[in-house]
Amino acid sequence: MRSTPRSTTRSTTPQKLLTSVALVGSLFGLAACGGGGGGGAEGGEGSSAAASQPASGGGSGEAQAAPEDAQPSMPEPEVENIPEVVATVNGQEISGEEFTTAYEGQFQQMAMQSQMSGQEMNQDEMKKQLAESMVGTELLVQDAQEQGHEASEEDVNAFLEETAEASGVASVDELLATFEEQGFSEEQIRSDAEKQLMLNQTIEQLDIPEPSDEELKELYDSSIAAQSEAQGGQEGGAEGESAAPETPSFEELKPQLEQQVSSQKENEALTQRIGELREGADVQIKL
């Protein structure tokens, strides 16, 4: 088990922490992407609309004269045939409404990623993956409850305040408004924050080894190699372009490397724990 203590409100952007297993993570990950003013590619509806417009280097008439420069329109989430109950986990239902809200919340980001990569979206597969994630989250939450983990209203408020700060929004009210725009009610957000805090307590008890120097160095070397390859592909640009930035040293990047490897190890441990819980669970997915 980790020798270093960790706060129960440690993870303010749990999407990174529970990458493929938690609905909770997807919700609070949305806040980090959609809050804080925006201009990024993941900044919510406004940036989506902007991304669909052709780049304008001069007058609007000139931009409209080249429709081939416009990006293709964004696809729509297919939610017409979602069943009333998507899954049951030891008798606990995951409703179609809950699933649809989560799917629509994730869909925009995934659609933009698909558009950027050029890969075709498979919505049936995406739904199956989300259903598995929600089942995994429910198994972890049930396990946390059986272990006696809980989160008070004060803990939830502190978690939301940290999430708002990490997301770059001014207040919890603004954070909740961001969620509401994406279809999540305050009641649901507070419930999911409570679940995330209980999951954090479960993570505290997992046997997760600390990142070794060898693992950090391997990640550093691969990251630098990828960066060099990307910069090599950009050589030969316009004259006068500034030189490539100096490569940061291993020691400079070590804190970020430790965080990345730690998150990966946490995800692996959670996935293993879900597998153990799944073996003795009564799970039915109805998609």
Side-chain angles (χ1 to χ4, degrees):
M1 192 173 297
R2 289 186 183 275
S3 58
T4 53
R6 294 183 290 172
S7 165
T8 56
T9 58
R10 168 183 172 276
S11 175
T12 55
T13 53
Q15 186 175 27
K16 182 176 181 180
L17 177 64
L18 304 177
T19 306
S20 63
V21 297
L23 167 64
V24 178
S26 71
L27 295 184
F28 289 99
L30 281 173
C33 293
E42 298 174 359
E45 294 181 4
S47 62
S48 172
S52 67
Q53 300 298 321
S56 94
S60 58
E62 181 180 345
Q64 293 175 0
E68 64 274 9
D69 292 339
Q71 296 183 14
S73 60
M74 297 288 283
E76 294 293 329
E78 299 170 0
V79 295
E80 295 79 11
N81 298 320
I82 302 298
E84 185 175 344
V85 176
V86 168
T88 59
V89 184
N90 296 323
Q92 179 66 40
E93 293 182 349
I94 297 175
S95 71
E97 181 180 2
E98 180 183 2
F99 178 89
T100 298
T101 301
Y103 184 70
E104 291 177 338
Q106 290 186 345
F107 184 83
Q108 183 182 3
Q109 292 180 35
M110 300 184 75
M112 284 191 290
Q113 291 172 5
S114 173
Q115 193 176 61
M116 292 170 63
S117 67
Q119 295 181 344
E120 187 176 350
M121 298 181 70
N122 184 333
Q123 294 206 41
D124 289 338
E125 186 62 29
M126 289 166 56
K127 291 172 188 174
K128 291 177 182 178
Q129 290 176 356
L130 177 58
E132 289 289 347
S133 291
M134 296 178 76
V135 166
T137 299
E138 183 59 36
L139 286 169
L140 289 170
V141 170
Q142 290 180 9
D143 184 45
Q145 291 171 335
E146 289 178 5
Q147 296 182 53
H149 297 323
E150 58 184 19
S152 66
E153 183 177 355
E154 181 179 0
D155 293 332
V156 170
N157 288 337
F159 180 84
L160 291 176
E161 287 173 2
E162 290 191 13
T163 303
E165 182 178 353
S167 303
V169 298
S171 66
V172 171
D173 288 342
E174 186 174 336
L175 177 73
L176 294 174
T178 300
F179 279 127
E180 185 176 353
E181 290 174 0
Q182 302 187 21
F184 301 104
S185 68
E186 178 176 351
E187 180 181 5
Q188 181 179 352
I189 293 307
R190 289 188 175 276
S191 173
D192 288 326
E194 181 180 1
K195 292 177 182 178
Q196 181 64 60
L197 288 168
M198 290 194 296
L199 295 181
N200 287 353
Q201 295 174 55
T202 296
I203 293 169
E204 292 283 348
Q205 297 183 340
L206 293 175
D207 186 13
I208 306 174
E210 295 286 351
S212 67
D213 284 341
E214 290 77 11
E215 289 172 318
L216 299 179
K217 190 65 167 61
E218 182 179 352
L219 178 59
Y220 173 80
D221 290 341
S222 62
S223 299
I224 295 304
Q227 180 182 1
S228 299
E229 183 178 351
Q231 289 174 349
Q234 296 172 1
E235 288 179 358
E239 281 188 37
E241 283 187 352
S242 59
E246 183 178 348
T247 301
S249 69
F250 172 72
E251 290 300 326
E252 288 175 315
L253 289 181
K254 191 172 182 179
Q256 296 95 309
L257 296 170
E258 287 177 335
Q259 183 178 17
Q260 185 172 342
V261 174
S262 294
S263 294
Q264 180 180 345
K265 288 177 177 290
E266 287 171 349
N267 285 331
E268 291 171 352
L270 283 168
T271 300
Q272 179 179 344
R273 181 57 182 158
I274 288 173
E276 295 168 353
L277 294 170
R278 185 78 179 253
E279 287 180 4
D282 179 13
V283 174
Q284 300 179 30
I285 297 178
K286 304 179 180 183
L287 280 177

